Amino acid sequence: MIRILVSSDPIDLAGEMARMEGDDVGAVASFCGLVRADDGVDRLELEHYPGATEAALDRIARAASERWSLQAATIIHRVGPMHPGERIVLVLAAAPHRHDALDACAYLIDRLKTDAPFWKRETRGGEARWVEARHGDAVAAARWTDPTP
Amino acid sequence: MIRILVSSDPIDLAGEMARMEGDDVGAVASFCGLVRADDGVDRLELEHYPGATEAALDRIARAASERWSLQAATIIHRVGPMHPGERIVLVLAAAPHRHDALDACAYLIDRLKTDAPFWKRETRGGEARWVEARHGDAVAAARWTDPTP
Amino acid sequence: MPLTILYFAWVRERIGQAEESVTPPTDVVSVADLIGWLAGRSAGHAEALAEPERLRAAVDQNFVALDAVITGAREIAIFPPVTGG
Amino acid sequence: MPLTILYFAWVRERIGQAEESVTPPTDVVSVADLIGWLAGRSAGHAEALAEPERLRAAVDQNFVALDAVITGAREIAIFPPVTGG
């Protein structure tokens, strides 16, 4: 079961977690990314490409489901303005066995970083700047090179 | 910050998650293990070695904190009787960067499987049996062989 | 047939609009050709599209390389490398 | 000095008790020696401890190999391989 959500509402972590659990689920792995204040950011804005974003996230979740034995894969991404400490992204993978859940979870977030059309704009003391793509993200995504095209 | 809890109470996933978050935390990775019903188990009992268990979990969390740049590591393990769908174990790692959180999370659960004194007894249709240790768990733990003794 | 062009992030900001409808000449065959042609539309376009190596594109919502052919496309998006997650 | 012995899981069940206090003779030097000596205490002990290769141990709450020396120990635990998580 794949669940994709792109929304300007705060991410309901507990609710999303609860959706993953069931009598036959043995393992749920999650990754949550948050707005960090430590480099002086006081506001973060997330822009996206409506329609194309959801399609990209769906492709990523489907690729994970083909690669590992999953019972559920969820990708939630917040868009619009947010503040330090708030959740930007949540990915979840549920599986009978733990390594499927853990590996799929890492895959979902690594792929999302390079394959989904989102753009971050940070504001520090009134000054806004678009975040630059990180080379490390491309490297991280490349280690998952799909066995199938 | 290390948090270790061994208790017969249900695991408060949302509460534990919330404890990990903060203005400087960029990433929280979690793993939750649940009682599975799919092979006919209707009850699971977890026995542990009081004192030694907490010490072992603390060592595992400290080793993770030395190996990765973490802001927090939490290990919660339930003991006593439980039923399908209930949470057995929850590990969480918080870090400024995602790969530290993801790798530490996988490490915590892999190590816990082999290094912490817990024993599972499953009941199926009134018949109880002690779960056998899995060779795969030793293999999974071995891939994390610590750089320091 | 008019083509819908979408801009995102700093490309959108520099051009000053998120979307426009254009009808490029027939010698505009690839995404790179389109970027070169769009750059001539205004000072903002010129500034936003000056360095194609900093740009990425999607044709009908599929990510493509800049040498991809745009024949038959209805919607083309031009944007910087993505930074979500 | 008496030694506290703890049993867990099926070792505990077969022996029929979780804990006992014993004073082994001086020729009991290693955990393996101790297991062999404890096996003589009852039929339950004999059954639980018959296959030392299926057992694991901790000396004063530290996991050890069965050839570890127990001199000076106060608490020794004997149990099957762990299965938590």
Side-chain angles (χ1 to χ4, degrees):
Chain A
M1 210 187 60
I2 285 171
R3 172 166 157 78
I4 303 297
L5 179 65
V6 177
S7 162
S8 57
D9 294 334
I11 295 175
D12 173 16
L13 196 146
E16 295 298 339
M17 281 279 190
R19 279 171 179 265
M20 305 302 281
E21 300 184 352
D23 274 9
D24 291 345
V25 171
V28 177
S30 83
F31 175 84
C32 182
L34 303 131
V35 185
R36 269 164 56 194
D38 57 356
D39 46 1
V41 171
D42 40 41
R43 181 187 156 98
L44 184 75
E45 236 170 315
L46 254 293
E47 180 168 332
H48 78 300
Y49 181 173
T53 307
E54 290 83 350
L57 298 180
D58 190 68
R59 275 195 298 274
I60 294 167
R62 277 178 205 289
S65 302
E66 279 165 26
R67 187 159 174 169
W68 291 280
S69 281
L70 302 184
Q71 290 156 319
T74 292
I75 307 178
I76 315 278
H77 205 297
R78 190 165 169 196
V79 292
M82 52 200 97
H83 297 93
E86 291 191 296
R87 299 175 192 128
I88 306 170
V89 62
L90 174 67
V91 302
L92 297 157
H97 300 290
R98 81 178 181 284
H99 287 119
D100 288 320
L102 288 164
D103 290 349
C105 176
Y107 174 93
L108 292 173
I109 188 65
D110 277 352
R111 282 288 182 177
L112 184 154
K113 289 264 176 186
T114 58
D115 295 4
F118 292 103
W119 298 273
K120 283 194 184 106
R121 189 167 68 162
E122 299 173 339
T123 306
R124 288 180 178 77
E127 193 127 341
R129 107 184 152 82
W130 292 94
V131 172
E132 294 275 334
R134 293 176 56 246
H135 174 63
D137 288 336
V139 173
R143 76 190 167 107
W144 297 110
T145 300
D146 285 309
T148 51
Chain B
M1 213 186 59
I2 286 172
R3 173 167 156 79
I4 302 297
L5 180 63
V6 177
S7 161
S8 57
D9 294 334
I11 295 176
D12 173 15
L13 197 146
E16 295 298 338
M17 281 278 191
R19 280 171 179 264
M20 305 301 281
E21 299 184 353
D23 274 9
D24 291 347
V25 171
V28 177
S30 83
F31 175 84
C32 184
L34 303 130
V35 184
R36 266 165 56 195
D38 56 357
D39 44 3
V41 171
D42 39 41
R43 180 186 156 99
L44 185 74
E45 236 171 315
L46 253 294
E47 180 168 331
H48 77 301
Y49 181 173
T53 306
E54 290 82 351
L57 298 180
D58 191 69
R59 274 196 298 276
I60 294 167
R62 277 179 204 290
S65 301
E66 280 165 24
R67 187 159 174 170
W68 291 281
S69 281
L70 302 184
Q71 290 156 319
T74 292
I75 307 178
I76 316 279
H77 206 295
R78 191 166 170 195
V79 292
M82 53 201 96
H83 297 93
E86 291 191 297
R87 299 173 191 128
I88 307 170
V89 62
L90 174 66
V91 302
L92 297 157
H97 301 291
R98 81 179 182 284
H99 286 119
D100 288 320
L102 288 165
D103 290 349
C105 177
Y107 174 93
L108 292 173
I109 187 64
D110 277 352
R111 282 287 182 178
L112 184 153
K113 289 264 176 187
T114 58
D115 296 3
F118 292 103
W119 299 272
K120 282 193 184 109
R121 189 167 68 161
E122 298 172 340
T123 305
R124 286 183 179 76
E127 194 126 340
R129 106 185 153 83
W130 291 93
V131 173
E132 296 275 334
R134 293 178 54 246
H135 174 65
D137 289 336
V139 172
R143 76 194 167 104
W144 297 110
T145 302
D146 283 311
T148 52
Chain C
M1 201 175 64
L3 192 56
T4 300
I5 313 288
L6 305 177
Y7 303 114
F8 293 102
W10 56 255
V11 179
R12 172 182 56 69
E13 283 188 337
R14 288 180 194 175
I15 289 178
Q17 56 191 337
E19 182 174 342
E20 60 184 322
S21 186
V22 299
T23 307
T26 51
D27 62 342
V28 167
V29 174
S30 69
V31 174
D33 294 341
L34 177 70
I35 289 171
W37 179 76
L38 289 166
R41 288 174 67 84
S42 78
H45 283 78
E47 194 206 336
L49 307 175
E51 297 171 275
E53 66 279 11
R54 296 185 61 200
L55 301 174
R56 302 291 180 270
V59 172
D60 291 329
Q61 305 204 346
N62 293 306
F63 290 77
V64 296
L66 297 194
D67 60 2
V69 169
I70 62 169
T71 315
R74 308 174 64 143
E75 176 181 294
I76 296 185
I78 300 172
F79 45 79
V82 303
T83 57
Chain D
M1 199 174 67
L3 193 57
T4 300
I5 312 289
L6 305 177
Y7 303 113
F8 293 102
W10 54 257
V11 179
R12 171 183 56 69
E13 281 188 339
R14 289 179 193 176
I15 288 176
Q17 57 190 339
E19 184 174 342
E20 61 185 322
S21 186
V22 300
T23 307
T26 52
D27 63 342
V28 167
V29 175
S30 68
V31 174
D33 294 342
L34 178 69
I35 288 171
W37 178 76
L38 289 166
R41 287 174 67 84
S42 78
H45 285 77
E47 195 208 334
L49 307 174
E51 297 172 275
E53 68 277 11
R54 295 185 61 199
L55 301 174
R56 301 292 180 270
V59 172
D60 291 331
Q61 306 204 347
N62 294 306
F63 290 76
V64 295
L66 297 195
D67 60 1
V69 168
I70 63 169
T71 316
R74 307 172 64 146
E75 177 180 295
I76 296 184
I78 300 171
F79 45 78
V82 303
T83 56

